[in-house]
Amino acid sequence: ISGARRAQFAILIARTEMDVPEGSRGANTAFIIDLPTEGWNDVREVETMHGSTGHSEIVITDLRVHDSQILGGRGNGHRLGQYRLGPARLAHCMRWVAQAETALEMMVDRSLDRYSHGSYLAEKQGIQWMIADSAMELYQCKLMILHAAYLIDKGADFRQEVSMAKHFVANSLNRIIDRAIQVHGAGGVSQDFLLSRMYAHIRGLRLADGPDEVHRNAIAKLELARHIATAPQDVEMPITRGC
């Protein structure tokens, strides 16, 4: 729960609709909670691998809410969250591209400056391939973001493309920074360069706004649903559940 120690209000998502099927997206409602309030207990700030950054452990006990605190209508808690998260995930990807560009530039600069075993690192094929792979992934990241943003802008269904971009860009950033550390050698894992701090920070991006596995499941379900919807009616489809 990011920023809980500094927040003056929270958005609480709670199950309110008991007459809908288990797992239904219409089961939850969003409430605005003024802080501090009785029943909302900020237990501790959780330190992550990149330090204390405002993530808190919250325990909710006998917290009472009123109809006047409902945000967006009953049963719309999940929809509100997803409405915000779709474009927000893409905004994260845009920032991650800037970090990937920084790491790639550092990798290239190091390879042109570091002389080892008879030649500059830039002249060694193994290093060239790291640079090439990073440049290609960065190019793919930019194109995926642009296409997903285009779909959002035109009002089309962007769920699959945003999940693809979020998963791919986060993992590409991890790989590019990892390669940059490798090219920097022992210096890459030291505090002399920015890379070690970047790496400690960006590992969590494969969990933030949905872990890799959730996005891969969502991508697969949307792809399956598309094929099922367009299949001839007399063809039996083996997979229907969850689509």
Side-chain angles (χ1 to χ4, degrees):
I1 302 176
S2 306
R5 286 281 166 101
R6 300 184 296 273
Q8 294 181 313
F9 72 92
I11 298 176
L12 172 70
I13 308 294
R15 176 159 185 162
T16 57
E17 313 309 305
M18 303 303 171
D19 57 347
V20 297
E22 186 69 29
S24 171
R25 295 187 174 187
N28 301 322
T29 299
F31 297 87
I32 295 182
I33 310 295
D34 290 320
L35 300 177
T37 192
E38 185 177 355
W40 180 280
N41 305 295
D42 192 336
V43 176
R44 66 187 177 106
E45 191 172 37
V46 180
E47 185 169 335
T48 68
M49 62 192 295
H50 57 284
S52 298
T53 53
H55 305 294
S56 292
E57 178 185 352
I58 305 297
V59 173
I60 299 172
T61 305
D62 297 328
L63 174 67
R64 309 297 296 179
V65 293
H66 190 269
D67 283 350
S68 62
Q69 295 172 262
I70 292 177
L71 179 65
R74 285 190 62 151
N76 289 323
H78 181 86
R79 294 186 185 93
L80 285 172
Q82 291 303 311
Y83 183 79
R84 175 259 170 196
L85 279 173
R89 287 175 177 129
L90 210 59
H92 288 319
C93 291
M94 297 173 194
R95 289 189 288 271
W96 299 343
V97 160
Q99 293 183 61
E101 287 179 330
T102 299
L104 178 56
E105 288 174 6
M106 292 178 67
M107 191 191 317
V108 171
D109 288 345
R110 179 70 170 183
S111 70
L112 292 169
D113 179 68
R114 177 68 170 172
Y115 189 91
S116 178
H117 294 86
S119 65
Y120 287 100
L121 295 183
E123 300 175 52
K124 302 181 188 299
Q125 188 180 62
I127 304 300
Q128 292 173 352
W129 285 4
M130 289 186 191
I131 294 170
D133 289 344
S134 298
M136 287 189 288
E137 286 193 61
L138 184 56
Y139 185 46
Q140 290 172 279
C141 289
K142 292 177 179 179
L143 291 179
M144 292 179 79
I145 293 169
L146 285 171
H147 182 238
Y150 164 76
L151 294 176
I152 293 174
D153 192 48
K154 67 180 291 190
D157 185 354
F158 55 80
R159 292 174 297 168
Q160 189 180 45
E161 285 75 12
V162 167
S163 280
M164 288 177 174
K166 193 277 171 183
H167 178 279
F168 186 82
V169 177
N171 279 270
S172 292
L173 177 57
N174 274 263
R175 289 189 291 266
I176 292 170
I177 294 178
D178 184 74
R179 294 183 193 118
I181 290 173
Q182 194 71 15
V183 171
H184 280 72
V189 296
S190 74
Q191 296 298 319
D192 291 352
F193 295 92
L194 178 66
L195 293 167
S196 61
R197 295 192 294 276
M198 288 174 65
Y199 195 72
H201 176 75
I202 59 95
R203 179 57 184 85
L205 303 183
R206 290 176 53 204
L207 299 168
D209 278 4
D212 289 350
E213 293 74 19
V214 169
H215 284 289
R216 293 173 79 177
N217 283 348
I219 293 165
K221 287 180 179 180
L222 288 166
E223 193 66 24
L224 289 165
R226 183 181 297 113
H227 284 271
I228 291 170
T230 57
Q233 295 302 309
D234 58 344
V235 175
E236 183 179 351
M237 299 298 290
I239 302 175
T240 57
R241 187 176 179 179
C243 300

